[in-house]
Amino acid sequence: MPARLGAFAFRRRATVAIVWLLVLAGTLIAMLSAPPAPPDDFSMPGTESQRTFELMDERFPGVNAETGSATVVFVAPEGSQITDPRYRATIDEAVAELGSVDQVDRVDAPFDSDAVSADKSAAYASVTFDVGAASVTTATRTAVDDVVAGARVGGLTVDAGGDALESGGPTGVAEMIAIALAAVILLVTLGSIVAAGLPLLTALVGVGISMLSILALADTLGLSSTSSTLALMLGLAVGIDYALFVVSRYREERAAERTPIDAVSMTAGTAGSAVLFAGLTVVIALAGLTVIGMPMLTKMGLAAAGAVVVAVLAALTLVPAIIGLAPQRVLSRKARRDGVVVVEGKGSTKPSAAQRWSGFILHRPILSVVVGVLALGLLAIPVADLRLGMPGDESKSTSTSQRRAYDELATAFGPGFNGPLMIVVDAQNAPAPHAAVTTIADRIAAVDGIASVSPSMPNEKGDTALFQAIPTTAPTDAQTETLVHHLRDIRGDLVRGTGATFTVTGNTAINIDLSSKIQGALVPYLATVIGLAVLLLLIVFRSILIPVTAALGFLLSVLAALGVTVLVFQKGVLDSVFGVEVTGPIQSAVPIFVIGIVFGLAMDYEVFLVSRMREAYVTGVGAREAIARGMTQSARVVVAAALIMMAVFGGFVVESDAFIKMLGLSLAAAVLFDAFVVRLCIVPAVMALLGDSAWWLPRWLGRILPAVDIEGGALDKSDAVPEPESGTPAADSRA
């Protein structure tokens, strides 16, 4: 099917190219008329914090908890007090100006709402908008910034933070870095401007369609800006890589003196089949995030999976179509001049880098395995200290107003002020509801780790009340997490004799619940992905030991990458190099996405390398020679693909968003370890040690496994040697 599809795209190249451009234009028109993307949905059905929010919706009708908010912090100069008449006048004027800003519903003045610190060094004004945070316009944010800037007179420090002031989305710097680096790598690898530009062009078209589609459907499907950034990151990476694999195989088929149409057909049937399989593994892994039960992860996974699907379709149709528009220009300058394509390692007495490397691995397999496993194992050790959380404004750069506001509030009101716990008391069955609420509030205030509690706010019926409990520690501090669990554990003692009960929620509590649930799903999800990897590779390579080796290598690379992430973001090793302002917990969703994405990428490299080895082995070449041939034919392209992946993912480390920064570094490290250490070192070394046994498959299993031909054996009957029938002695060693 891929061979026929590629040939069709080649013949109807103009039509196929026009269709892709029309789809791109259509998604652009749809995006321009669509509402903006909603904020990230961190809800987690089934958790206490989420059930509490649902109870609040029921007991406090008309109170919209989803409106955007901001906090403007005023700090007096050192040695002065914020209550000084000149500063008070400036603050009152700023509050009045904020109240007149479009989309602002109300502003709670600090001197009227008891929002002044105990030492009178600082105060804050709470701003509530009449729309959700995602709907706050740029003009409104600019107006708030102007008020803040105008209040900085007489030495008064003024900063603002809050979800409504988050602009969100990628800055564009990461994409430009990634594309520039990818262009250089492609040019060096392919030696032709046209050949290097083709993967970039098709990837950009595919990513453009994916991104515009996500933005067009963002409001309808609830896809946040984080979902679009992840889809952009992954779509760009796999889009370039898949097109690179196709272009490289086309040039190789032209070296076999095939006509352009035959070369495209064979390319689509071999490299295209491998791309189809590799893309399927990524999609399955990302779609598998739905089992975790977190809406945000599900939407992000499905959005990224959609970008991968578009990248696969582009590789199978748009790339052959563009090749059809310039079948000779895709070849290198030397190939066009000489009329042939020079294949690496042929026509030269000097061994290529891939030949020299494969020779080293084949002659020192034990050393290669030991060094590779030890290196990755040592890097994986920090994973034992992995702590998940949801970093907020404290993870931003100190150059941002949000981070400065966070620090100023923490200094003036205590570190726990930025992450209050919301206590909701259900006194529906209490004989004296008001007294029950007061008793519970007093008992919670006396718990170690609680700095203070706010006055309670009852609902209209008086059967439910809520108040804030301010921890003594910061929102992402491990002691705050312990405090939340402790309050829930001693709930029976705190409500004894009142007839009421309470639950704990708020952003801090729900983030803790999310992290706990994701951490609990981490090992089962990893086990599922590894099992899936073994099954898929078992079908593709008809071998028992190769899939097991590949899966264990994937596990090593993932753990090593997460270990590096813990070292940088949690322990502060080389934190200044990567622009990490404050160390803390790893964003909860990072490990899950690293597992899912790296699984697909690892299968990419495994398929493209080992399929060429099997292609040689089933034609009668010895096991060690098959390894050497496979690495000679594929290593250069795999190295280029891995470098492009690292460039794309590494480029996102410059983003200010903590999640994107962590994910970018984790994925770049994972690609480095998986491609260069696992696939180009450990896997061929293990196969060399196993010899013919690497390809062993029980006869009974060979009979029931479906036949998957990604080497293109069925496309060229005249040149291929028929594979032995399953169940014969030869089949046991070569099937």
Side-chain angles (χ1 to χ4, degrees), residues 48 52-53 56 65 419-425 465-470 502-509:
E48 176 175 320
T52 307
F53 273 129
M56 290 172 60
L421 305 177
M422 185 174 291
I423 311 296
V424 179
V425 180
L466 58 85
F467 59 87
Q468 289 186 337
I470 308 297
F502 73 87
T503 51
V504 184
T505 189
N507 288 336
T508 299

Side-chain angles (χ1 to χ4, degrees), residues 376 548-558 674 678-679 682-683:
L376 296 183
V548 172
T549 303
L552 292 177
F554 157 72
L555 179 62
L556 270 176
S557 58
V558 164
D674 195 84
V678 174
R679 307 304 152 189
I682 296 176
V683 167

Side-chain angles (χ1 to χ4, degrees), residues 95-118:
V95 168
E97 291 178 2
L98 288 170
S100 64
V101 171
D102 186 37
Q103 295 186 310
V104 171
D105 181 37
R106 74 173 191 276
V107 181
D108 296 327
F111 303 108
D112 298 333
S113 57
D114 193 25
V116 180
S117 63

Side-chain angles (χ1 to χ4, degrees), residues 349-362:
T349 58
K350 183 179 179 181
S352 66
Q355 288 174 318
R356 292 195 299 272
W357 179 248
S358 64
F360 174 85
I361 296 294
L362 291 173

